[in-house]
Amino acid sequence: MTTEKNFDSTRRAALDRIDRAERAYRAFFLSAAAVEALFLGGFVLLADFGDRLHVLLLLAAVATYTIVALGLLALGQHVSRCTWRVLKAIDGREGS
């Protein structure tokens, strides 16, 4: 009986940590996206599109942000997949 209570408290603690980590990741991702959107919006408002250098800088910034955003999305998918595996492993042990 004591070991079952130990398993339950361990499972609950692990699930709580997973939930906290996922919330922190989402908050960070949304905050970073908002800040980058502000910077990009400011650049578009201040840029002189008649100047080819400004157009080149805009294209470079968009390309860089796209690559970083895709990397963050891939990381988020990886974390979700790992979380799913942990939850599946925990669920498999409950039946044992």
Side-chain angles (χ1 to χ4, degrees):
M1 197 63 140
T2 306
T3 32
E4 185 62 34
K5 287 183 182 182
N6 250 352
F7 283 140
D8 288 341
S9 64
T10 303
R11 285 183 198 134
R12 176 61 26 218
L15 291 174
D16 289 343
R17 284 193 304 267
I18 290 169
D19 285 341
R20 270 196 315 271
E22 189 172 348
R23 282 193 305 272
Y25 169 78
R26 286 185 184 181
F28 174 75
F29 183 82
L30 291 175
S31 299
V35 168
E36 294 301 328
L38 286 173
F39 282 135
L40 192 58
F43 180 83
V44 168
L45 289 174
L46 296 173
D48 174 18
F49 291 109
D51 187 352
R52 291 176 59 101
L53 179 62
H54 289 199
V55 174
L56 179 63
L57 286 172
L58 177 63
L59 289 175
V62 168
T64 302
Y65 291 149
T66 301
I67 291 170
V68 169
L70 289 174
L72 285 173
L73 289 173
L75 178 63
Q77 183 61 33
H78 174 70
V79 168
S80 295
R81 186 174 49 243
C82 290
T83 303
W84 179 79
R85 283 179 157 174
V86 168
L87 291 174
K88 187 174 177 182
I90 289 171
D91 189 39
R93 289 188 181 171
E94 281 183 21
S96 299

